Amino acid sequence: MLKKRDLHDCHELFELMAHPDVFPFVRQKANSYEEFVFITKQTIEADEQGELISRTILDEWGAPIGTINLYDIQEGAGFLGTWLGKPYHGKGYNNLAKDAFFQELFYELGIETIFMRIRKVNIRSLKAAEKLHYIVKANDTRRNIYEQLNAAGEVYDLYEIPKDQYTLYLKRTVPQEEEAVQLLEA
């Protein structure tokens, strides 16, 4: 579902990123394939140096369909950035990618808090965030960060995913899923 970024995926990812329904919401925009390769090289180097964490999202056949990243990492916290190619919207890939990424971030890499800044005009992403049982709208509780994000005007809503909230969510949902599987096997 996820793998480390690889230059071999650039052609497919650039084509998916360039779609007009995707491009405006991508943090690391590239206007040409060559620029995308350059940005990807920089991303791989920054990942190796611990400045960010970046993964390619794969479909069930191993084809690259988007990226998921943790940017601006400081003191065990960072900002999530995710995009999927238009053909993969609404098919459950985003939630699968987030679950796999959060598992890696929280339980392998020592991240304690994931922030999400979502443009107030990005209704699709706002609705998707509100569906997550482990997310907290942080416009008021993290007022200093919210104000920094919106210094030039009210552009973003701020959300927070604390490790303990995510862990609690897993403890509540995973046993129910395991119990259902055991009943089916009996």
Side-chain angles (χ1 to χ4, degrees):
M1 176 93 244
L2 298 180
K3 72 172 191 174
K4 289 195 174 203
R5 298 292 298 276
D6 184 337
L7 292 176
H8 291 98
D9 299 326
C10 284
H11 182 71
E12 292 91 346
L13 289 174
F14 176 72
E15 293 298 321
L16 293 168
M17 182 204 64
H19 191 283
D21 289 347
V22 176
F23 190 79
F25 303 107
V26 174
R27 181 169 176 170
Q28 293 180 313
K29 293 174 176 36
N31 293 306
S32 69
Y33 172 72
E34 293 75 18
E35 185 180 3
F36 187 76
V37 170
F38 180 75
I39 289 171
T40 301
K41 284 180 184 177
Q42 288 182 320
T43 299
I44 291 168
E45 290 172 10
D47 193 339
E48 290 170 352
Q49 295 169 3
E51 297 169 9
L52 59 79
I53 301 164
S54 184
R55 302 291 180 261
T56 299
I57 303 170
L58 307 171
D59 68 8
E60 52 271 22
W61 297 280
I65 62 171
T67 70
I68 188 164
N69 310 279
L70 194 69
Y71 298 104
D72 306 324
I73 299 171
Q74 293 180 7
E75 300 174 15
F79 282 85
L80 185 70
T82 305
W83 66 266
L84 287 172
K86 177 70 173 167
Y88 305 97
H89 288 182
K91 297 186 178 180
Y93 291 109
N94 197 9
N95 283 341
L96 291 171
K98 280 187 173 106
D99 284 340
F101 197 52
F102 293 173
Q103 291 278 331
E104 181 181 359
L105 294 176
F106 288 139
Y107 307 119
E108 296 174 30
L109 301 176
I111 298 297
E112 293 294 322
T113 305
I114 299 168
F115 292 109
M116 294 173 61
R117 66 178 192 183
I118 302 174
R119 292 177 194 272
K120 293 176 185 264
V121 297
N122 190 347
I123 304 303
R124 177 184 199 86
S125 291
L126 289 171
K127 286 182 179 180
E130 297 288 341
K131 290 180 186 176
L132 300 175
H133 299 285
Y134 46 80
I135 200 166
V136 177
K137 193 167 186 179
N139 290 355
D140 295 323
T141 57
R142 299 288 193 144
R143 195 74 187 164
N144 59 335
I145 297 172
Y146 177 78
E147 288 174 356
Q148 286 176 338
L149 293 174
N150 292 296
E154 293 286 316
V155 176
Y156 299 103
D157 276 326
L158 177 65
Y159 293 88
E160 176 181 5
I161 303 164
K163 179 180 178 179
D164 59 351
Q165 188 88 0
Y166 183 75
T167 301
L168 183 61
Y169 163 78
L170 288 181
K171 289 188 182 297
R172 287 182 177 161
T173 58
V174 172
Q176 293 172 354
E177 292 170 6
E178 288 174 359
E179 186 176 299
V181 169
Q182 288 174 353
L183 289 173
L184 289 173
E185 290 175 353

